[in-house]
Amino acid sequence: MSEQSTDLRETVRRRYAAAAVKVTEGGTACCGPEPVEVDDNFGSTLYATDERDALPAAAVAASLGCGNPTAVAELREGERVLDLGSGGGIDVLLSARRVGPTGRAYGLDMTEEMLALALVNAAKAGATNVEFLQGNIESIPLPANSIDVVISNCVINLSTDKPAVFTETFRVLKAGGRIGVSDVVADDTLTPEQRAERGDHVGCIAGALSFAEYRAGLEAAGFADIDITPTHQVADGMHSAIVHATKPLAVPSPTDGEPKADACCGVNACCTAAETAADPALTVTQAETASGCTCQS
């Protein structure tokens, strides 16, 4: 990681650590925690009143996102959900309610202060099907093919290595798994310099990808069925958007129902120097990842 990228990550970490401390300290006041100051384009006002009322006040107060990914991810009973950049836990707790006791909701965050706040909020909510993990979204500490749905709320734009985020998201999803992400996306006509003029990196503006860049990044990681729909403008030419995509199912066997002798893991001539993906639209790595296996030595 470059020095500039390291500095940006530390700036983001400090900003969200400070937000967590503010909410935690506000919780000792007579009237409960005050929301972190954001404008109408970000924060807890993007959630329905009944959702906010069902959660601990500190989880709501710590919300800094640009949307409500749980409202569009179509979560189902029994699913395993991962929230990238889970903050104070609002989306993890809402997800846990949707997937029910047979499902599980994971939250991943790099900030110790936010993780501590999220654990307190989970305890107050009585949520037993949640787990919070410390780590970076560019290197997710979960096994491959273990998650049904990945959500995120205005966090991917903060990453300084978005290709790694897309690749890691693809890796942890099961075949047929999906993403439902809220993020800030820029008009294709805006250059990186013009995006920076509209807001800083930590404010979720300067680091945003354009619509075309976002789609290309997801495609390069192996995703299909990509849809990026803007919901509201957060700055001139910058939009909060809902991003949907799916991890393709394993490559089907030949039409006769019998696997080819030289094919395995979605790869022809696997484990040889001549191996190629059975699906020409995928790379060898993407094919192996989608099928959940790799060559064994």
Side-chain angles (χ1 to χ4, degrees), residues 153-171:
N153 197 349
C154 208
V155 171
I156 294 175
N157 69 81
L158 296 171
S159 172
T160 57
D161 189 356
K162 296 174 183 64
V165 177
F166 296 144
T167 298
E168 277 290 273
T169 301
F170 190 90
R171 179 185 66 82

Side-chain angles (χ1 to χ4, degrees), residues 67 69 82 103 109 116 118 124 161 182 203 210 216 219 221 255 257 285-286 294:
L82 168 64
D109 204 282
K124 288 181 179 179
D161 189 356
S182 295
S210 70
E219 289 176 343
T255 53
T285 300
Q286 290 169 348
T294 58

